[in-house]
Amino acid sequence: MFRVALDTPLRRLFDYLPPDLPEGAVGLRPGMRVRVPFGRRRLVGLVMEVGDSSELPAQRLKPVLEVLDAAPALEAPALELIRWAAEYYHHPVGQVLAAALPKLMRLGAGVTATEERWTVTASGREAAAAGEPRRAPKQRELLDFLLGRDGAAPAQSLSGNLTSWRDAARALEMRGWLERREVVLAPVAEPVRVRAAGPTLLPEQRAAVERVAAASGGYAAFLLEGVTGSGKTEVYLRLTEEALARGRAVLVLVPEIGLTPQLVGRFRERFAVPLAVLHSGLTDSERLAAWRAAWSGQARIVLGTRSAVFAPLPDLGLVVVDEEHDASFKQHEGALRYSARDLAVVRARLAAVPVLLGSATPSLETLHNVAVGRYTRLRLLRRPGVSQPPLLKLIDLRVSAIDAGISTPAALAIERHLAADAQVLVFLNRRGYAPTLLCTACGWIAPCRECDARLTVHLAAQRLRCHHCGADAPLPARCPQCGFAVKPVGQGTERIEAALGTRFPGVPIVRLDRDVVRRRGDLDEVVRRMSSGEARILVGTQMVTKGHDFPNVTLVVVLNADQGLFSTDFRASERLAQTIVQVAGRAGRGERPGEVLIQTEFPQHPLLVSLLERGYDGFAEAALAERLQASWPPFSRLAALRASAKTPDAALGFLSEARAAAGAPPRGLKLLGPVPAAMAKRAGRYHAQLLIESHERPPLHQFLDGWLPRVEASRSAQRVRWALDVDPLELF
Ligand code: ADP
Ligand code: ZN
Ligand code: ZN
């Protein structure tokens, strides 16, 4: 009896009999894919367990139709991770599997890389020796080509050397003179070579490497904390080298590949070993190829975003999560919502290897895990070659003159740093020209029809765009309501770029945001212009905080710190502090010390004060104390049942029914809501949520286990889109 996971919404495994094949079920074991009958369909599934009995009567059981793998597609720890994720996120195991496997694997593609080869048969050789084929020059040419290569060649080489050889090959195959075969490519066991030796480690780096390396015999979790440029990547590289030398493979998770090309580059530069890169920008066949390289053990390093946490790595020796605090590790859309950072830790535990979480601004969850002794904190305090940390100062917007978003003190500082031949970074977390288009006569504001949001003015493109649903319309010259002139209100990066251009004529300025970086290569161009010193001012959004090194930047101006101060989301302040520190980390990476100016209307806000006076540590301490008081995570556990529908009533109705289905929740567990989301209407759908809060983890999961099947069975469940989000990051 084989228990098979299938990509269906049903929360269970499906039992099948051994296949009716001459070789029967010889060798069929967990982790292998099978094709099975399911209703009227045939599905590809994965054997999760082998059992001796089924709840179903024997006559209702059907045999496996086909065994697709000769060896498990997923080894035991990877399989365990999928099972763990299914339980923890309360999601059907078959669907977790579907999220974990590349699409082509789900359709039945082989796990091993194969190659199409054409070989001359014995009769082909005889025929050729007898001078055949006489009247088919193409066939003759192909035959000669193959015989010139010991009688066989891969299709790829034929295509590279001969024109339209396929027809000739087929004709020769028909005559029995050629044979076509799919040959399994064996992994090339290349010796691990370090291409370039790294620098001599600083004492703190060496201590960190030694601590983690000493733990390599089993599971252990470490937080590697250090500001940007403190040498964290160098620590990853040394530990990778150490793991490779032991014959083990390394998994490195990064928030976004496009924004961290430097990290991939540094791994490639350092190690002459095959490296597989997995991210959402790959085509299906590229993803399959990367997955196969990992599966076969050919790739010794797998570097990827979120879903790479599921990559097969038969001899995993180390897991690294860079920028562990980054929100993009959380899959917050679709049916399966998971944290790749958290799964990476689980994966390390299941594989009994160390995991290293790196950040300049660790998440409060991770700091809490350090505080309770679950993780070991390793710190890098010094920057190689730099002595002073950047100096942070607040600019009180209530008393400073401000022009086009830039206060006078900030403008003077920019002037000063430019005069000293340095570069300046201006940060604003809002792209576009202006967030609002307003009619000064009647007060009309350009709204998005599909969202509870305003349309953003994109002046250069002459468009109005919604940053939530992507709606896009021409920029009107007059108010559609009264015909009076309209004007853009507020600042986006595009407008700041223009304002700085006016203020500092002749100074080359570049901008970095999602509007500029549309294509591959755009980012490289911006980075090149800054690195070469050709550009003097960089204006950008969050994107500037990721990975690029501009040592000549000595001044950072944060234009608006206030967005995160008074949010309904309890995590907003954490994100704000992280952003400020990350942006500040861009200043003074060379020999010169950096200066950071933060414009705010609330210079007395306790959060800003603790951040300025005591740094990120001080902020984290204050913020954790606040969370403890309010009993928010990490001092409680949350799950959110989210729903969206065409009408607000449908979304709220489903959640009310779900709440009723919970009855009286057990002690220590609270249901909050349902409430409409802060931005209720998005992309034409109405969003609402019901929060479940618990002091401890086990009762929460126990409750969800009993409750979800009832929610699923409720009448309104069919009429809305809903998903359960365990450990939600954003509460909106
Ligand atoms: P992070 O990952 O924390 O931003 P990196 O590892 O990228 O830091 O280090 C920042 C810079 O310092 C890089 O250019 C790196 O090559 C260099 N570096 C790191 N460690 C050392 C060291 N021990 N000696 C000299 N240079 C170093
Ligand atoms: Zn008007
Ligand atoms: Zn919209």
Side-chain angles (χ1 to χ4, degrees), residues 198-203 205 224 226-238 262-263 266 270 322-323 360 380 383-385 547 549 586 589:
T200 310
L201 294 181
L202 294 171
Q205 285 175 315
L224 181 65
V227 297
T228 320
S230 61
K232 295 186 295 296
T233 308
E234 191 55 45
V235 172
Y236 306 156
L237 291 167
R238 291 306 168 90
Q262 289 184 343
L263 191 76
R266 279 175 72 183
R270 186 65 59 89
D322 189 31
E323 307 286 355
L380 303 179
R383 298 189 194 187
D549 203 350
R586 301 286 126 195
R589 298 187 72 180

Side-chain angles (χ1 to χ4, degrees), residues 439 441-444 479 481-484:
C439 169
C442 75
W444 173 85
C479 172
Q481 210 159 266
C482 73
F484 202 78

Side-chain angles (χ1 to χ4, degrees), residues 643-654 680 684-688 719-720:
S644 77
K646 285 257 166 15
T647 65
D649 287 350
L652 288 166
F654 160 73
R685 297 180 67 85
Y686 292 85
H687 296 251
R719 295 196 288 268
V720 302

Side-chain angles (χ1 to χ4, degrees), residues 82 100 120 154 236 255 263 277 369 406 427 444 450 554 581 645 669 701:
I82 287 177
V120 184
Y236 306 156
L263 191 76
V277 179
N369 279 327
I406 303 159
F427 171 81
W444 173 85
E450 303 298 316
T554 54
V581 174
L669 203 121
H701 287 283

Side-chain angles (χ1 to χ4, degrees), residues 82-225:
I82 287 177
R83 199 192 286 276
W84 191 94
E87 254 171 51
Y88 187 84
Y89 294 111
H90 299 267
H91 201 64
V93 66
Q95 288 189 345
V96 176
L97 191 67
L101 285 180
K103 182 168 159 215
L104 296 176
M105 289 286 299
R106 302 197 306 266
L107 296 176
V111 278
T112 41
T114 59
E115 183 179 76
E116 177 188 347
R117 276 181 89 77
W118 289 86
T119 311
V120 184
T121 60
S123 53
R125 284 179 190 271
E126 276 169 31
E132 292 276 349
R134 283 178 220 285
R135 275 179 300 278
K138 278 280 173 197
Q139 295 179 24
R140 181 81 229 181
E141 186 192 19
L142 174 60
L143 212 50
D144 285 344
F145 182 87
L146 289 169
L147 288 169
R149 279 166 178 68
D150 285 340
Q156 209 183 350
S157 128
L158 296 176
S159 302
N161 289 286
L162 306 172
T163 50
S164 52
W165 57 273
R166 277 208 180 267
D167 287 341
R170 252 172 244 123
L172 289 168
E173 189 184 17
M174 300 275 277
R175 300 172 88 163
W177 293 353
L178 279 195
E179 213 174 54
R180 179 187 179 282
R181 249 185 264 151
E182 287 288 330
V183 184
V184 172
L185 291 178
V188 205
E190 291 180 47
V192 172
R193 273 199 304 121
V194 177
R195 234 191 272 276
T200 310
L201 294 181
L202 294 171
E204 287 163 345
Q205 285 175 315
R206 194 173 332 114
V209 168
E210 280 167 9
R211 276 299 287 280
V212 181
S216 62
Y219 164 75
F222 298 90
L223 163 65
L224 181 65
E225 188 179 0

